[in-house]
Amino acid sequence: MAVLDHRAELNRAGANATGFFGTARFLMRRYPLGAVGAVIVVLFVLTALFAPWLTAYDPTSTNPRASLARPTADHILGADFMGRDMWSRVAYGARISLAVGVGSTFLGCLIGVAVGLTSGYFGGWYDLLIQRLIDIMQALPLLVMALVMAASLGPSLQNTIIAIAIPLVPNVARVIRSNTLSLREMPYVEAARAVGMSELGIAVRHVLPNTLAPLIVLATAQLGAAILTEAALSFLGLGIPEPHPSWGRMLSESAAEYVRTAPWLVIFPGIAISLAVFGTNLLGDALRDYLDPRQRT
Amino acid sequence: MLDDVKPKPGAGAATGSGNVLEVQDLKKHFPIRKGLLRRTVGHVYAVDGVTFSIKAGETLGLVGESGCGKSTVGRVILRLIEPTAGSIKVEGHDITRLSKAEMRPYRRQMQIIFQDPFSSLDPRMTAGNIVGEPLGVHGVGKRRERRDQVAQLFERVGLRRGQMDNYPHQFSGGQRQRIGIARALALNPRLIIGDEPVSALDVSIQAQVINLLMDLQRELGLGYLFISHNLAVVEHISHKIAVMYLGRLVEYADKRTIFTSPKHPYTEALLSAVPVPDPAIKRKKLVVQGDVPSPMRPPPGCHFHTRCPYAVDRCKVEVPALRDLGGGQLVACHLR
């Protein structure tokens, strides 16, 4: 039911492409930066999925003899002071980043959509109350909110996801609410009301599917922010606990002590974080241009 | 011709009057709220006492300029907007104060066709699902039976079965309006309210859609409330015509009577504004000066007195009642 009609979007973007490859070629030429972003994101996801096949070492097994090993053929990105292979840790770290990024974005969108849809559709006092609560939440930066949440929930993968998801809710709720406000006045909503459809049915069948495009755009943009926030939380010791490899904590463990003597311990997780965030942001920008006609020139 | 169309046997109403719709002194005043406490500081008198009825197989054309309340009348009848006062009877049953749940069975009796064929169809649903939606809402038949029914509806309005899985953007404006008509027909209504259903279409397409509507009326004995500002279209499709000005009916009569001997100055002015495609014909022109007064502060007495060339003192104080001038021609004017 709630599917995006790609042909419609393609036509609106001015494409005259047929087939999968024709479409892909059109998109690449039209959104070159978005294509770069898409490639980075695909590589990131593949690394996360196939980490065990891409690495030779267990990311948590220590080896005193390899302590602080330089990048060589054995350890292509070197090893940390406990002798854990950095490439393994970076590759497995992609899993954590992806899990937290996707998990918290999904959870944040789920709650945000429910809040925004009801707020925009039913209005009145409920809307007023929700919007003032959202004002309060939006007054705090994402990281500060996440910090407060993470500190009160305690460090674990699940809690990190929740801690990052909650601060994402206001953004999603705002966008969905404003969309709902305009959609509920559409004649096709009136038509549904005229046949006697329930208000809940209208909200789910007509309003929600039409907010999907902006939601996808928003979710991609939030994904980068979520990954970055996870790294920041872990860097500050409030995110993913040991022994799971998290890019953020890899930085914090090594930054002070080894940045001069073993810079590869800082550089590679840093590059991983930057690339993942950069890729999702590029993809998000291209998706916005593609799916949001108001941005299109 | 069309005037001879008789309602099908059995198409009549519970009351025996044969009226699918009776509207009695209908009013809709929208409150204007201002300030922090949302106090009501005034009203927009969108509909201010409108009375008419529609028989099965009959079309009532409701005409008037923009902002006179025509569309509001249509929406109030469907209870998409709550009426302020008056009564609405569908097939003899009073639906004015029914609750949402009580309204459900009556929703099957009356449907609406919208002006804009683009925004009236959900862009993310297939044409087949759009037409089948009313059936689903009212739980008519099983899924497969519904699909068959939708296919029949498609053929009835001149679309192909194979187009059921297409999305609205793949259709032209006229085809989209046909989808809208199929959706309105899905529940077998007795009354269809057309809110400017052809104003957004090309003239050639307008004729096709109008003819489709007239064919459907002949086959199904539907009653139409046809809201429009286009007198040529209204003349073609209607049996009776009601002329509205600032929330009130000013004239209400048979099509022929209205077009041959309009009695209300406003109707005269409207008719003399219709272009005639023959430069040799010279007509008496009645040009009305000024603008429509604000519906927030309608003038006292006859609403039209501020622009009426014949207005006398009485028009400024006394509201003219809708009187029968004989032959079923009702006119609200002191001078007739």
Side-chain angles (χ1 to χ4, degrees):
Chain A
M1 148 204 138
V3 278
L4 279 172
D5 184 7
H6 294 283
R7 274 172 300 174
E9 302 295 352
L10 273 172
N11 286 337
R12 270 194 267 161
N16 186 22
T18 48
F20 177 77
F21 289 103
T23 307
R25 207 173 314 130
F26 166 79
L27 289 177
M28 251 192 266
R29 208 173 309 143
R30 177 86 185 229
Y31 307 105
L33 283 177
V36 172
V39 169
I40 293 173
V41 169
V42 167
L43 283 179
F44 170 50
V45 171
L46 288 179
T47 309
L49 288 178
F50 298 109
W53 288 275
L54 294 172
T55 56
Y57 300 90
D58 186 306
T60 54
S61 73
T62 55
N63 176 6
R65 268 175 300 165
S67 178
L68 298 177
R70 292 181 165 278
T72 55
D74 249 10
H75 296 283
I76 46 170
L77 301 185
D80 67 5
F81 81 106
M82 288 201 263
R84 295 178 296 197
D85 181 54
M86 279 306 284
W87 165 238
S88 296
R89 290 182 65 73
V90 168
Y92 277 87
R95 290 190 154 185
I96 299 285
S97 282
L98 191 69
V100 172
V102 171
S104 54
T105 305
F106 180 75
L107 186 65
C109 285
L110 204 68
I111 303 173
V113 165
V115 170
L117 202 62
T118 48
S119 182
Y121 201 83
F122 298 111
W125 278 106
Y126 174 76
D127 182 38
L128 203 68
L129 191 74
I130 293 288
Q131 290 312 308
R132 297 297 78 75
L133 277 176
I134 285 178
D135 283 342
I136 294 170
M137 286 174 81
Q138 280 193 324
L140 291 171
L142 173 61
L143 182 61
V144 176
M145 271 286 282
L147 264 176
V148 174
M149 297 289 305
S152 53
L153 289 168
S156 80
L157 178 64
Q158 208 180 327
N159 288 348
T160 306
I161 290 176
I162 296 171
I164 298 171
I166 300 299
L168 293 180
V169 168
N171 302 338
V172 179
R174 274 271 155 90
V175 169
I176 297 293
R177 172 178 176 269
S178 64
N179 260 293
T180 307
L181 283 180
S182 63
L183 288 173
R184 70 170 189 191
E185 305 296 333
M186 294 298 280
Y188 58 79
V189 167
E190 253 189 330
R193 217 168 267 148
V195 297
M197 198 177 212
S198 68
E199 294 300 315
L200 187 69
I202 292 171
V204 173
R205 298 250 317 159
H206 292 290
V207 177
L208 188 58
N210 283 288
T211 59
L212 213 60
L215 182 64
I216 288 174
V217 172
L218 191 65
T220 329
Q222 305 281 28
L223 188 62
I227 291 171
L228 197 61
T229 308
E230 183 272 322
L233 284 182
S234 298
F235 182 87
L236 296 168
L238 289 165
I240 313 298
E242 285 279 15
H244 305 291
S246 156
W247 294 340
R249 215 190 44 252
M250 284 149 84
L251 276 183
S252 69
E253 281 170 355
S254 327
E257 277 178 72
Y258 304 109
V259 71
R260 281 159 204 277
T261 52
W264 54 89
L265 295 186
V266 182
I267 290 170
F268 294 119
I271 289 176
I273 295 171
S274 311
L275 265 184
V277 176
F278 183 59
T280 49
N281 283 348
L282 283 183
L283 183 65
D285 278 356
L287 270 178
R288 194 195 52 219
D289 291 349
Y290 176 52
L291 290 175
D292 190 347
R294 276 165 300 183
Q295 296 279 336
R296 200 172 287 152
T297 44
Chain B
M1 286 276 299
L2 193 71
D3 302 31
D4 308 325
V5 172
K6 290 276 187 303
K8 278 183 173 180
T15 50
S17 63
N19 288 337
V20 284
L21 178 71
E22 282 170 55
V23 173
Q24 192 61 245
D25 204 23
L26 193 65
K27 287 183 184 167
K28 177 65 203 182
H29 302 163
F30 292 102
I32 307 162
R33 296 181 200 279
K34 276 219 177 101
L36 201 62
L37 298 168
R38 319 292 302 150
R39 266 183 314 133
T40 304
V41 294
H43 286 94
V44 175
Y45 298 91
V47 181
D48 201 19
V50 165
T51 302
F52 59 80
S53 62
I54 298 173
K55 287 189 176 63
E58 184 184 71
T59 302
L60 173 69
L62 186 59
V63 297
E65 56 201 301
S66 312
C68 74
K70 320 183 285 282
S71 293
T72 310
V73 169
R75 280 168 173 70
V76 170
I77 290 170
L78 286 164
R79 295 278 311 276
L80 293 173
I81 300 175
E82 290 305 311
T84 308
S87 77
I88 307 155
K89 282 183 184 166
V90 173
E91 300 249 306
H93 304 279
D94 193 330
I95 62 156
T96 325
R97 301 284 163 215
L98 294 186
S99 71
K100 265 204 159 111
E102 289 168 328
M103 264 308 284
R104 266 179 76 93
Y106 295 100
R107 297 232 173 265
R108 302 182 66 154
Q109 309 277 337
M110 48 183 186
Q111 279 302 311
I112 182 166
I113 303 169
F114 293 93
Q115 173 173 10
D116 183 359
F118 289 87
S119 58
S120 62
L121 307 178
D122 189 335
R124 303 253 180 248
M125 280 170 80
T126 63
N129 283 341
I130 290 170
V131 174
E133 182 169 69
L135 299 171
V137 169
H138 285 270
V140 179
K142 295 204 177 65
R143 193 173 284 263
R144 195 173 310 144
E145 293 165 16
R146 284 209 291 266
R147 209 173 150 78
D148 281 346
Q149 253 175 298
V150 171
Q152 282 168 19
L153 284 164
F154 263 62
E155 279 165 9
R156 169 156 265 163
V157 298
L159 295 167
R160 282 179 288 109
R161 260 165 204 270
Q163 292 173 309
M164 279 168 64
D165 293 322
N166 291 358
Y167 284 88
H169 69 89
Q170 293 168 297
F171 293 90
S172 68
Q175 286 176 322
R176 283 164 153 261
Q177 207 57 313
R178 286 170 193 269
I179 297 172
I181 292 169
R183 169 174 64 191
L185 287 177
L187 292 170
N188 259 322
R190 306 296 312 135
L191 172 74
I192 288 184
I193 293 171
D195 186 7
E196 307 247 10
V198 296
S199 330
L201 305 174
D202 287 347
V203 178
S204 57
I205 309 295
Q206 284 192 3
Q208 289 176 16
V209 171
I210 292 280
N211 289 337
L212 170 66
L213 287 172
M214 287 168 78
D215 289 343
L216 289 168
Q217 180 169 57
R218 209 159 7 231
E219 282 173 51
L220 306 168
L222 297 167
Y224 286 151
L225 175 61
F226 195 93
I227 299 165
S228 182
H229 60 259
N230 186 338
L231 285 168
V233 168
V234 166
E235 182 180 12
H236 187 59
I237 195 172
S238 306
H239 303 114
K240 282 184 177 172
I241 289 174
V243 182
M244 219 174 149
Y245 184 79
L246 260 180
R248 290 181 191 158
L249 290 190
V250 294
E251 187 157 3
Y252 176 41
D254 282 342
K255 167 174 73 179
R256 208 163 289 150
T257 320
I258 288 259
F259 275 89
T260 52
S261 62
K263 287 289 187 292
H264 197 280
Y266 181 65
T267 318
E268 268 181 67
L270 274 187
L271 289 175
S272 68
V274 176
V276 176
D278 184 350
I281 295 178
K282 288 272 177 287
R283 291 181 305 171
K284 183 186 93 177
K285 280 243 173 183
L286 179 64
V287 180
V288 170
Q289 305 291 329
D291 276 325
V292 189
S294 161
M296 280 179 258
R297 250 172 289 105
C302 174
H303 280 173
F304 191 57
H305 82 250
T306 53
R307 302 168 77 194
C308 182
Y310 314 122
V312 294
D313 285 345
R314 190 183 171 199
C315 302
K316 294 174 187 163
V317 283
E318 196 184 326
V319 180
L322 208 57
R323 286 175 302 123
D324 195 338
L325 296 186
Q329 185 174 21
L330 305 177
V331 178
C333 183
H334 293 308
L335 304 169
R336 305 287 168 173

